[in-house]
Amino acid sequence: MPLDERYHGDLQGLNKAETAERLGKQSMHQWRRSFSVRPPEGESLEDTMNRTLPFFNNVF
């Protein structure tokens, strides 16, 4: 199981301005502030938690 950072999918490597230009400010705001909304082809904070929490539960 990888412990990589949250994967932003199609938006990986873009800064905020580039992301807003590509998605629109409202869509960007929605996925950045949401727990369960995913960026295009990426993972939500919920996905990241579900992917990494088992590791920490087993180690600690």
Side-chain angles (χ1 to χ4, degrees), residues 19-39:
T19 300
E21 184 177 311
R22 187 175 287 187
L23 281 184
K25 285 184 180 184
Q26 188 168 8
S27 292
M28 182 183 85
H29 182 77
Q30 180 184 15
W31 76 261
R32 288 192 75 226
R33 300 291 181 234
S34 173
F35 181 66
S36 59
V37 175
R38 294 179 179 106

Side-chain angles (χ1 to χ4, degrees), residues 2-59:
L3 290 178
D4 297 333
E5 296 176 3
R6 178 180 179 188
Y7 181 61
H8 291 98
D10 292 346
L11 307 176
Q12 198 77 15
L14 300 178
N15 64 34
K16 286 183 187 178
E18 293 166 330
T19 300
E21 184 177 311
R22 187 175 287 187
L23 281 184
K25 285 184 180 184
Q26 188 168 8
S27 292
M28 182 183 85
H29 182 77
Q30 180 184 15
W31 76 261
R32 288 192 75 226
R33 300 291 181 234
S34 173
F35 181 66
S36 59
V37 175
R38 294 179 179 106
E41 302 301 319
E43 65 181 355
S44 67
L45 289 174
E46 182 178 25
D47 296 331
T48 305
M49 180 191 74
N50 290 332
R51 176 175 52 80
T52 59
L53 201 55
F55 170 81
F56 291 103
N57 287 334
N58 286 327
V59 171

